[in-house]
Amino acid sequence: MLRRIRIAAAIFFFTFITLLFLDFTGTIHHWFGWMTKIQFFPALLALNVGIVAFLVVLTLLFGRIYCSVICPLGVFQDTISWAAGKKKKNRFSYSPAVSWLRYGALGLFIVAIFAGLSVIVSLLEPYSAYGRIASNLFAPVWQLGNNLLAFVAQRIDSYTFYSVDIWLKGGIPLGVAILTVIILAILAWRNGRTYCNTICPVGTVLGFFSRFSLFKPVILTNKCNSCGLCARNCKASCIDAKAHHIDYTRCVTCMDCIGKCNKGTIRYKIAGKKAAEKQEETVVTRQAAAGKKENARRNFLSVTAMLAAGAALKAKEVLGDGGFVTIIDKKRPKRTTPITPPGSGSARNLNRNCTACQLCISACPNQILRPSTNLDKLMQPEVSYERGYCRPECTRCSEVCPTGAIRRITTADKSALQIGRAVWIRDNCLVNRDSVQCNNCYRHCPTGAIQQVPIDPNNEKSLKIPAVDVERCIGCGACENLCPSRPLSAIYLEGNLMHRTI
């Protein structure tokens, strides 16, 4: 029964956390956005003391429930391990903890946090790793299915579904997501929860607390016949059936051992004094035996690599004017200062607090957020206006961010928040280049920061060019996105290192 409850809860969390990265309507975020806020490390970065305390107390009471139910990467590995178990049953075995690797990875993670090495932090943090998998691999498939339904619906005059653009967010995030899936799939297929108990820093931290948990799986030694069935079904490889010992720092409280034991010799109960003494004895026995026998099958090298992929895939050509004129794709301008999302406050704050889970990128309805390709902030969001502009009434990214890297703002805050400023390039403007009147930037600026002035001040009837009032510009990018100049816009945005109120 306990195992079934755990599986049902894990499916519930895993399904809706995944949908948070797939949903482009915002509906799921309204009801289940809290699931991302209770992830351990994002809550720690957001200084959400209540959530962190709750997770620690949960672990002290029931063991690593977080790892087996709430963490999406852990449930993802369980799914792969479950599929492998259909082919080969009773395939696990006990192995000693690889302590040097566990605490080495945790030490590297902590050093990376204080040194500002956000790339290492984002690669090791489990929730963010799963977020990139869902955002880069699952989301395009989800969107393709939606577009097929929209195509069918249109044929029967139904507008229940609508088509959305399917686009890959960058070669590097896609490559990292694929590499992560490959590594996790190999480890989980062969050995279950290897990543969680040897690499994952969150698992190591919670493992420290779980050794003191009140409720634990306890082996009743007077009934156990040492058949080893529990150990052969323990995906954490933490049960030494011969010594009647369970390594609680690695146990993820999956209840598989309880469900598989046909003698009822493993109980999930309060571990009393006698049980603690017995565990202490078996620890000594196990340490003595470990010096004589090495389990080489479980030793492996930690792989933490970044895939340096090429540029993003080129979109299919879009035809206009009845197919006679090819509209040239707009190129991304080279900004001296990248633009960070509204609510991030500054590039420094975003860099130190963002774990590159890419939930904000998936949730952005205007498709202006992109994963950065700069090494110092790799895969973190930055603003670009090829596909749209930052609408003043939209605050979605600030609503979904679980770490505080993008702090929640209101529409009133956003309308007065300058994240960048417009810069006009005379030689790219159609007025100067082609001698035709164009006032797109003037007409679409929501703050009136762009005015039209005559080229010839002495001739009121001369063609007019834009003049930017930097003090009124909020950096929304409407002018850059809607500028008809190709391949580079005649007006583009430069970012502010520190956002300011205007």
Side-chain angles (χ1 to χ4, degrees):
M1 178 59 73
L2 289 176
R3 180 174 178 269
R4 291 180 179 179
I5 293 173
R6 192 272 304 173
I7 292 175
I11 292 174
F12 175 77
F13 273 89
F14 181 75
T15 299
F16 285 102
I17 290 177
T18 302
L19 287 175
L20 289 173
F21 287 92
L22 306 184
D23 177 41
F24 48 82
T25 66
T27 306
I28 303 297
H29 288 276
H30 178 72
W31 294 101
F32 297 100
W34 57 271
M35 288 187 175
T36 63
K37 306 294 175 67
I38 64 170
Q39 300 299 316
F40 185 83
F41 187 66
L44 192 63
L45 279 180
L47 299 179
N48 197 329
V49 179
I51 295 298
V52 175
F54 166 75
L55 294 176
V56 170
V57 171
L58 183 70
T59 306
L60 288 173
L61 288 176
F62 305 109
R64 287 171 59 180
I65 292 291
Y66 173 87
C67 298
S68 59
V69 174
I70 301 175
C71 177
L73 194 70
V75 181
F76 179 67
Q77 292 173 82
D78 282 349
T79 304
I80 297 174
S81 181
W82 171 80
K86 293 293 183 180
K87 192 171 184 180
K88 183 180 179 181
K89 298 183 182 297
N90 302 326
R91 58 197 181 90
F92 301 120
S93 62
Y94 170 77
S95 65
V98 189
S99 298
W100 67 268
L101 187 55
R102 295 174 69 191
Y103 295 107
L106 177 61
L108 175 64
F109 187 76
I110 294 173
V111 170
I113 292 173
F114 287 101
L117 301 176
S118 57
V119 175
I120 296 176
V121 174
S122 62
L123 287 174
L124 293 179
E125 205 280 311
Y127 159 75
S128 300
Y130 180 76
R132 291 189 294 271
I133 293 172
S135 179
N136 291 279
L137 300 182
F138 300 163
V141 178
W142 177 269
Q143 293 163 354
L144 177 61
N146 171 82
N147 289 354
L148 290 175
L149 291 174
F151 176 80
V152 174
Q154 289 174 6
R155 295 300 178 271
I156 58 175
D157 295 328
S158 172
Y159 296 95
T160 305
F161 300 94
Y162 59 90
S163 296
V164 296
D165 291 336
I166 301 175
W167 60 288
L168 298 177
K169 299 175 177 64
I172 292 178
L174 177 64
V176 170
I178 292 173
L179 185 62
T180 303
V181 168
I182 291 174
I183 293 174
L184 290 178
I186 293 174
L187 294 178
W189 187 273
R190 295 183 59 186
N191 301 313
R193 286 293 192 106
T194 301
Y195 175 83
C196 299
N197 287 329
T198 52
I199 300 296
C200 179
V202 175
T204 302
V205 170
L206 294 180
F208 170 79
F209 292 107
S210 67
R211 73 171 66 190
F212 307 110
S213 60
L214 181 63
F215 289 89
K216 301 176 180 178
V218 176
I219 301 175
L220 305 179
T221 55
N222 58 336
K223 295 183 179 181
C224 180
N225 60 4
S226 300
C227 68
L229 189 61
C230 54
R232 294 198 299 272
N233 285 276
C234 177
K235 57 197 171 192
S237 299
C238 66
I239 300 179
D240 187 350
K242 294 182 179 179
H244 301 118
H245 169 72
I246 299 176
D247 184 354
Y248 293 121
T249 65
R250 290 186 291 157
C251 176
V252 294
T253 322
C254 65
M255 312 295 182
D256 286 353
C257 56
I258 298 175
K260 291 294 182 179
C261 182
N262 50 26
K263 300 294 184 181
T265 59
I266 301 183
R267 304 282 178 83
Y268 186 64
K269 54 181 287 188
I270 296 177
K273 184 177 179 181
K274 291 183 178 180
E277 292 174 352
K278 180 63 179 177
Q279 290 291 329
E280 187 66 29
E281 292 177 6
T282 56
V283 167
V284 176
T285 305
R286 178 176 59 83
Q287 289 177 343
K292 301 179 181 179
K293 185 177 180 181
E294 291 285 340
N295 191 343
R297 183 178 64 83
R298 295 284 295 179
N299 292 336
F300 65 93
L301 294 176
S302 172
V303 179
T304 309
M306 295 178 298
L307 184 64
L313 297 177
K314 190 177 183 297
K316 187 178 179 181
E317 278 190 341
V318 180
L319 299 180
D321 293 345
F324 292 104
V325 178
T326 300
I327 299 177
I328 302 173
D329 290 337
K330 184 173 288 191
K331 290 184 178 180
R332 188 175 183 177
K334 293 182 179 179
R335 309 182 203 276
T336 304
T337 305
I339 306 172
T340 58
S344 59
S346 66
R348 184 175 182 272
N349 176 71
L350 183 72
N351 182 255
R352 293 190 65 87
N353 292 291
C354 179
T355 60
C357 73
Q358 300 183 6
L359 181 59
C360 58
I361 297 176
S362 297
C364 178
N366 306 309
Q367 299 188 3
I368 66 163
L369 296 183
R370 304 282 191 280
S372 175
T373 56
N374 294 337
L375 185 60
D376 59 337
K377 48 182 178 292
L378 189 67
M379 299 182 294
Q380 294 181 352
E382 63 182 27
V383 180
S384 195
Y385 302 109
E386 291 82 48
R387 289 175 171 265
Y389 63 93
C390 193
R391 298 182 180 273
E393 72 277 7
C394 177
T395 58
R396 185 78 64 79
C397 58
S398 74
E399 295 168 2
V400 303
C401 179
T403 67
I406 306 176
R407 300 193 181 277
R408 183 138 191 183
I409 58 174
T410 65
T411 53
D413 295 331
K414 186 175 179 181
S415 63
L417 188 66
Q418 187 186 75
I419 63 174
R421 60 207 180 279
V423 179
W424 179 60
I425 307 298
R426 175 182 293 271
D427 294 339
N428 291 348
C429 187
L430 296 182
V431 180
N432 291 316
R433 194 176 68 188
D434 299 335
S435 298
V436 295
Q437 186 61 60
C438 173
N439 58 2
N440 253 23
C441 54
Y442 163 72
R443 288 189 295 110
H444 292 96
C445 180
T447 63
I450 299 177
Q451 299 297 320
Q452 294 285 83
V453 298
I455 294 179
D456 183 359
N458 299 319
N459 182 5
E460 288 291 335
K461 295 183 178 180
S462 66
L463 296 176
K464 294 183 178 181
I465 55 176
V468 180
D469 183 354
V470 177
E471 294 303 317
R472 299 184 65 177
C473 178
I474 60 174
C476 69
C479 53
E480 178 181 325
N481 174 251
L482 298 171
C483 177
S485 176
R486 295 292 191 277
L488 291 172
S489 294
I491 191 165
Y492 80 101
L493 276 293
E494 278 289 351
N496 287 348
L497 283 175
M498 291 281 295
H499 296 178
R500 69 186 191 93
T501 303
I502 60 172

mmCIF file of all heavy atoms in Angstrom, residues 455-489:
data_model
loop_
_atom_site.group_PDB
_atom_site.id
_atom_site.type_symbol
_atom_site.label_atom_id
_atom_site.label_comp_id
_atom_site.label_asym_id
_atom_site.label_seq_id
_atom_site.Cartn_x
_atom_site.Cartn_y
_atom_site.Cartn_z
ATOM 1 N N ILE A 455 13.951 65.222 -41.744
ATOM 2 C CA ILE A 455 15.374 65.131 -42.067
ATOM 3 C C ILE A 455 15.949 66.528 -42.242
ATOM 4 O O ILE A 455 17.041 66.834 -41.768
ATOM 5 C CB ILE A 455 15.579 64.289 -43.356
ATOM 6 C CG1 ILE A 455 15.164 62.842 -43.109
ATOM 7 C CG2 ILE A 455 17.033 64.350 -43.812
ATOM 8 C CD1 ILE A 455 15.301 61.952 -44.316
ATOM 9 N N ASP A 456 15.197 67.354 -42.936
ATOM 10 C CA ASP A 456 15.593 68.751 -43.145
ATOM 11 C C ASP A 456 14.783 69.618 -42.186
ATOM 12 O O ASP A 456 13.577 69.808 -42.380
ATOM 13 C CB ASP A 456 15.325 69.157 -44.593
ATOM 14 C CG ASP A 456 15.788 70.574 -44.885
ATOM 15 O OD1 ASP A 456 16.296 71.247 -43.962
ATOM 16 O OD2 ASP A 456 15.628 71.029 -46.044
ATOM 17 N N PRO A 457 15.395 70.145 -41.139
ATOM 18 C CA PRO A 457 14.647 70.949 -40.159
ATOM 19 C C PRO A 457 13.970 72.172 -40.762
ATOM 20 O O PRO A 457 12.995 72.669 -40.211
ATOM 21 C CB PRO A 457 15.732 71.366 -39.152
ATOM 22 C CG PRO A 457 16.842 70.401 -39.350
ATOM 23 C CD PRO A 457 16.816 70.018 -40.784
ATOM 24 N N ASN A 458 14.475 72.628 -41.915
ATOM 25 C CA ASN A 458 13.916 73.817 -42.545
ATOM 26 C C ASN A 458 12.783 73.501 -43.514
ATOM 27 O O ASN A 458 12.199 74.411 -44.088
ATOM 28 C CB ASN A 458 15.020 74.584 -43.284
ATOM 29 C CG ASN A 458 16.112 75.043 -42.341
ATOM 30 O OD1 ASN A 458 15.835 75.491 -41.228
ATOM 31 N ND2 ASN A 458 17.369 74.914 -42.774
ATOM 32 N N ASN A 459 12.507 72.205 -43.686
ATOM 33 C CA ASN A 459 11.461 71.811 -44.628
ATOM 34 C C ASN A 459 10.508 70.855 -43.915
ATOM 35 O O ASN A 459 10.819 69.683 -43.701
ATOM 36 C CB ASN A 459 12.067 71.152 -45.863
ATOM 37 C CG ASN A 459 11.010 70.770 -46.895
ATOM 38 O OD1 ASN A 459 9.818 71.079 -46.729
ATOM 39 N ND2 ASN A 459 11.433 70.106 -47.961
ATOM 40 N N GLU A 460 9.335 71.339 -43.541
ATOM 41 C CA GLU A 460 8.361 70.539 -42.811
ATOM 42 C C GLU A 460 7.834 69.368 -43.625
ATOM 43 O O GLU A 460 7.347 68.384 -43.083
ATOM 44 C CB GLU A 460 7.191 71.416 -42.356
ATOM 45 C CG GLU A 460 7.531 72.378 -41.227
ATOM 46 C CD GLU A 460 7.798 71.646 -39.928
ATOM 47 O OE1 GLU A 460 7.284 70.524 -39.749
ATOM 48 O OE2 GLU A 460 8.546 72.173 -39.089
ATOM 49 N N LYS A 461 7.914 69.452 -44.955
ATOM 50 C CA LYS A 461 7.373 68.405 -45.813
ATOM 51 C C LYS A 461 8.410 67.327 -46.147
ATOM 52 O O LYS A 461 8.109 66.390 -46.884
ATOM 53 C CB LYS A 461 6.841 69.010 -47.105
ATOM 54 C CG LYS A 461 5.638 69.935 -46.886
ATOM 55 C CD LYS A 461 5.098 70.445 -48.209
ATOM 56 C CE LYS A 461 3.872 71.333 -47.988
ATOM 57 N NZ LYS A 461 3.328 71.857 -49.279
ATOM 58 N N SER A 462 9.612 67.466 -45.634
ATOM 59 C CA SER A 462 10.643 66.464 -45.921
ATOM 60 C C SER A 462 10.329 65.166 -45.175
ATOM 61 O O SER A 462 9.545 65.141 -44.219
ATOM 62 C CB SER A 462 12.017 66.985 -45.509
ATOM 63 O OG SER A 462 12.088 67.152 -44.103
ATOM 64 N N LEU A 463 10.953 64.086 -45.628
ATOM 65 C CA LEU A 463 10.763 62.800 -44.964
ATOM 66 C C LEU A 463 11.207 62.880 -43.509
ATOM 67 O O LEU A 463 12.134 63.629 -43.163
ATOM 68 C CB LEU A 463 11.558 61.709 -45.694
ATOM 69 C CG LEU A 463 11.132 61.398 -47.133
ATOM 70 C CD1 LEU A 463 12.063 60.376 -47.750
ATOM 71 C CD2 LEU A 463 9.697 60.911 -47.183
ATOM 72 N N LYS A 464 10.540 62.067 -42.676
ATOM 73 C CA LYS A 464 10.819 62.135 -41.252
ATOM 74 C C LYS A 464 11.546 60.880 -40.764
ATOM 75 O O LYS A 464 11.302 59.772 -41.243
ATOM 76 C CB LYS A 464 9.526 62.317 -40.472
ATOM 77 C CG LYS A 464 8.853 63.663 -40.751
ATOM 78 C CD LYS A 464 7.604 63.839 -39.911
ATOM 79 C CE LYS A 464 6.974 65.212 -40.176
ATOM 80 N NZ LYS A 464 5.767 65.421 -39.354
ATOM 81 N N ILE A 465 12.405 61.085 -39.812
ATOM 82 C CA ILE A 465 13.191 59.998 -39.227
ATOM 83 C C ILE A 465 12.891 59.943 -37.732
ATOM 84 O O ILE A 465 12.442 60.928 -37.134
ATOM 85 C CB ILE A 465 14.703 60.204 -39.460
ATOM 86 C CG1 ILE A 465 15.128 61.585 -38.930
ATOM 87 C CG2 ILE A 465 15.052 60.044 -40.927
ATOM 88 C CD1 ILE A 465 16.617 61.842 -39.026
ATOM 89 N N PRO A 466 13.141 58.781 -37.098
ATOM 90 C CA PRO A 466 12.838 58.659 -35.665
ATOM 91 C C PRO A 466 13.872 59.340 -34.784
ATOM 92 O O PRO A 466 15.062 59.362 -35.098
ATOM 93 C CB PRO A 466 12.823 57.149 -35.436
ATOM 94 C CG PRO A 466 13.709 56.597 -36.496
ATOM 95 C CD PRO A 466 13.552 57.495 -37.691
ATOM 96 N N ALA A 467 13.393 59.881 -33.691
ATOM 97 C CA ALA A 467 14.259 60.430 -32.645
ATOM 98 C C ALA A 467 13.854 59.771 -31.329
ATOM 99 O O ALA A 467 12.685 59.786 -30.950
ATOM 100 C CB ALA A 467 14.116 61.946 -32.558
ATOM 101 N N VAL A 468 14.802 59.163 -30.640
ATOM 102 C CA VAL A 468 14.522 58.375 -29.435
ATOM 103 C C VAL A 468 14.736 59.209 -28.178
ATOM 104 O O VAL A 468 15.789 59.828 -27.994
ATOM 105 C CB VAL A 468 15.424 57.124 -29.380
ATOM 106 C CG1 VAL A 468 15.127 56.311 -28.128
ATOM 107 C CG2 VAL A 468 15.247 56.273 -30.625
ATOM 108 N N ASP A 469 13.722 59.231 -27.326
ATOM 109 C CA ASP A 469 13.837 59.835 -26.004
ATOM 110 C C ASP A 469 14.215 58.717 -25.027
ATOM 111 O O ASP A 469 13.363 57.938 -24.583
ATOM 112 C CB ASP A 469 12.514 60.482 -25.604
ATOM 113 C CG ASP A 469 12.589 61.191 -24.260
ATOM 114 O OD1 ASP A 469 13.642 61.080 -23.594
ATOM 115 O OD2 ASP A 469 11.599 61.833 -23.862
ATOM 116 N N VAL A 470 15.483 58.620 -24.712
ATOM 117 C CA VAL A 470 15.996 57.514 -23.892
ATOM 118 C C VAL A 470 15.355 57.494 -22.513
ATOM 119 O O VAL A 470 15.176 56.429 -21.911
ATOM 120 C CB VAL A 470 17.532 57.611 -23.779
ATOM 121 C CG1 VAL A 470 18.081 56.523 -22.863
ATOM 122 C CG2 VAL A 470 18.174 57.512 -25.146
ATOM 123 N N GLU A 471 14.965 58.650 -22.006
ATOM 124 C CA GLU A 471 14.385 58.721 -20.663
ATOM 125 C C GLU A 471 12.994 58.099 -20.594
ATOM 126 O O GLU A 471 12.520 57.750 -19.520
ATOM 127 C CB GLU A 471 14.327 60.179 -20.204
ATOM 128 C CG GLU A 471 15.687 60.820 -20.004
ATOM 129 C CD GLU A 471 16.543 60.057 -19.011
ATOM 130 O OE1 GLU A 471 15.992 59.642 -17.972
ATOM 131 O OE2 GLU A 471 17.741 59.867 -19.270
ATOM 132 N N ARG A 472 12.324 57.959 -21.733
ATOM 133 C CA ARG A 472 10.972 57.380 -21.737
ATOM 134 C C ARG A 472 10.969 55.929 -22.234
ATOM 135 O O ARG A 472 9.986 55.222 -22.071
ATOM 136 C CB ARG A 472 10.045 58.219 -22.615
ATOM 137 C CG ARG A 472 9.884 59.641 -22.141
ATOM 138 C CD ARG A 472 8.891 60.414 -22.979
ATOM 139 N NE ARG A 472 7.540 59.884 -22.857
ATOM 140 C CZ ARG A 472 6.477 60.420 -23.443
ATOM 141 N NH1 ARG A 472 6.610 61.493 -24.203
ATOM 142 N NH2 ARG A 472 5.282 59.887 -23.274
ATOM 143 N N CYS A 473 12.044 55.492 -22.839
ATOM 144 C CA CYS A 473 12.106 54.133 -23.405
ATOM 145 C C CYS A 473 12.208 53.104 -22.286
ATOM 146 O O CYS A 473 12.981 53.268 -21.335
ATOM 147 C CB CYS A 473 13.313 54.023 -24.332
ATOM 148 S SG CYS A 473 13.543 52.379 -25.047
ATOM 149 N N ILE A 474 11.420 52.028 -22.375
ATOM 150 C CA ILE A 474 11.473 50.966 -21.355
ATOM 151 C C ILE A 474 12.171 49.706 -21.888
ATOM 152 O O ILE A 474 12.323 48.734 -21.162
ATOM 153 C CB ILE A 474 10.054 50.599 -20.859
ATOM 154 C CG1 ILE A 474 9.178 50.095 -22.010
ATOM 155 C CG2 ILE A 474 9.422 51.782 -20.142
ATOM 156 C CD1 ILE A 474 7.821 49.579 -21.563
ATOM 157 N N GLY A 475 12.550 49.716 -23.172
ATOM 158 C CA GLY A 475 13.267 48.567 -23.728
ATOM 159 C C GLY A 475 12.389 47.397 -24.100
ATOM 160 O O GLY A 475 12.843 46.250 -24.088
ATOM 161 N N CYS A 476 11.117 47.651 -24.449
ATOM 162 C CA CYS A 476 10.192 46.560 -24.764
ATOM 163 C C CYS A 476 10.528 45.867 -26.075
ATOM 164 O O CYS A 476 10.162 44.715 -26.294
ATOM 165 C CB CYS A 476 8.753 47.061 -24.790
ATOM 166 S SG CYS A 476 8.384 48.163 -26.178
ATOM 167 N N GLY A 477 11.208 46.570 -26.995
ATOM 168 C CA GLY A 477 11.631 45.959 -28.250
ATOM 169 C C GLY A 477 10.609 45.986 -29.362
ATOM 170 O O GLY A 477 10.839 45.386 -30.417
ATOM 171 N N ALA A 478 9.491 46.699 -29.173
ATOM 172 C CA ALA A 478 8.486 46.763 -30.241
ATOM 173 C C ALA A 478 9.071 47.404 -31.490
ATOM 174 O O ALA A 478 8.797 46.971 -32.615
ATOM 175 C CB ALA A 478 7.258 47.541 -29.757
ATOM 176 N N CYS A 479 9.877 48.434 -31.304
ATOM 177 C CA CYS A 479 10.472 49.119 -32.454
ATOM 178 C C CYS A 479 11.416 48.205 -33.220
ATOM 179 O O CYS A 479 11.395 48.143 -34.453
ATOM 180 C CB CYS A 479 11.197 50.375 -31.997
ATOM 181 S SG CYS A 479 12.409 50.094 -30.686
ATOM 182 N N GLU A 480 12.247 47.449 -32.496
ATOM 183 C CA GLU A 480 13.194 46.550 -33.155
ATOM 184 C C GLU A 480 12.468 45.415 -33.875
ATOM 185 O O GLU A 480 12.792 45.078 -35.014
ATOM 186 C CB GLU A 480 14.166 45.970 -32.130
ATOM 187 C CG GLU A 480 15.171 44.985 -32.736
ATOM 188 C CD GLU A 480 16.104 44.394 -31.717
ATOM 189 O OE1 GLU A 480 16.485 45.095 -30.756
ATOM 190 O OE2 GLU A 480 16.469 43.202 -31.865
ATOM 191 N N ASN A 481 11.472 44.843 -33.214
ATOM 192 C CA ASN A 481 10.768 43.703 -33.798
ATOM 193 C C ASN A 481 9.961 44.089 -35.029
ATOM 194 O O ASN A 481 9.912 43.339 -36.010
ATOM 195 C CB ASN A 481 9.845 43.086 -32.752
ATOM 196 C CG ASN A 481 8.977 41.987 -33.320
ATOM 197 O OD1 ASN A 481 7.765 42.169 -33.476
ATOM 198 N ND2 ASN A 481 9.566 40.858 -33.638
ATOM 199 N N LEU A 482 9.338 45.257 -35.010
ATOM 200 C CA LEU A 482 8.434 45.650 -36.083
ATOM 201 C C LEU A 482 9.104 46.502 -37.150
ATOM 202 O O LEU A 482 8.453 46.892 -38.126
ATOM 203 C CB LEU A 482 7.239 46.406 -35.493
ATOM 204 C CG LEU A 482 6.382 45.577 -34.524
ATOM 205 C CD1 LEU A 482 5.361 46.449 -33.823
ATOM 206 C CD2 LEU A 482 5.697 44.428 -35.247
ATOM 207 N N CYS A 483 10.383 46.774 -37.000
ATOM 208 C CA CYS A 483 11.096 47.535 -38.022
ATOM 209 C C CYS A 483 11.192 46.700 -39.302
ATOM 210 O O CYS A 483 11.645 45.546 -39.275
ATOM 211 C CB CYS A 483 12.491 47.903 -37.532
ATOM 212 S SG CYS A 483 13.478 48.772 -38.766
ATOM 213 N N PRO A 484 10.776 47.255 -40.462
ATOM 214 C CA PRO A 484 10.793 46.474 -41.706
ATOM 215 C C PRO A 484 12.168 46.322 -42.341
ATOM 216 O O PRO A 484 12.326 45.592 -43.318
ATOM 217 C CB PRO A 484 9.865 47.279 -42.629
ATOM 218 C CG PRO A 484 9.971 48.683 -42.135
ATOM 219 C CD PRO A 484 10.179 48.585 -40.653
ATOM 220 N N SER A 485 13.170 46.990 -41.807
ATOM 221 C CA SER A 485 14.511 46.905 -42.388
ATOM 222 C C SER A 485 15.069 45.495 -42.222
ATOM 223 O O SER A 485 14.944 44.877 -41.171
ATOM 224 C CB SER A 485 15.432 47.922 -41.703
ATOM 225 O OG SER A 485 16.751 47.798 -42.173
ATOM 226 N N ARG A 486 15.679 44.997 -43.288
ATOM 227 C CA ARG A 486 16.283 43.669 -43.282
ATOM 228 C C ARG A 486 17.694 43.746 -43.859
ATOM 229 O O ARG A 486 17.965 44.597 -44.712
ATOM 230 C CB ARG A 486 15.459 42.671 -44.128
ATOM 231 C CG ARG A 486 14.057 42.374 -43.607
ATOM 232 C CD ARG A 486 14.117 41.609 -42.292
ATOM 233 N NE ARG A 486 12.815 41.100 -41.901
ATOM 234 C CZ ARG A 486 11.885 41.806 -41.265
ATOM 235 N NH1 ARG A 486 12.118 43.073 -40.952
ATOM 236 N NH2 ARG A 486 10.732 41.255 -40.941
ATOM 237 N N PRO A 487 18.613 42.870 -43.436
ATOM 238 C CA PRO A 487 18.462 41.834 -42.407
ATOM 239 C C PRO A 487 18.590 42.373 -40.985
ATOM 240 O O PRO A 487 18.236 41.707 -40.036
ATOM 241 C CB PRO A 487 19.595 40.870 -42.733
ATOM 242 C CG PRO A 487 20.666 41.734 -43.305
ATOM 243 C CD PRO A 487 19.945 42.802 -44.088
ATOM 244 N N LEU A 488 19.119 43.606 -40.828
ATOM 245 C CA LEU A 488 19.249 44.195 -39.506
ATOM 246 C C LEU A 488 18.258 45.333 -39.343
ATOM 247 O O LEU A 488 18.042 46.114 -40.274
ATOM 248 C CB LEU A 488 20.681 44.718 -39.281
ATOM 249 C CG LEU A 488 21.787 43.662 -39.169
ATOM 250 C CD1 LEU A 488 23.153 44.332 -39.154
ATOM 251 C CD2 LEU A 488 21.601 42.807 -37.929
ATOM 252 N N SER A 489 17.642 45.408 -38.186
ATOM 253 C CA SER A 489 16.706 46.489 -37.917
ATOM 254 C C SER A 489 17.442 47.826 -37.881
ATOM 255 O O SER A 489 18.620 47.904 -37.514
ATOM 256 C CB SER A 489 15.991 46.271 -36.580
ATOM 257 O OG SER A 489 15.165 45.129 -36.631
#
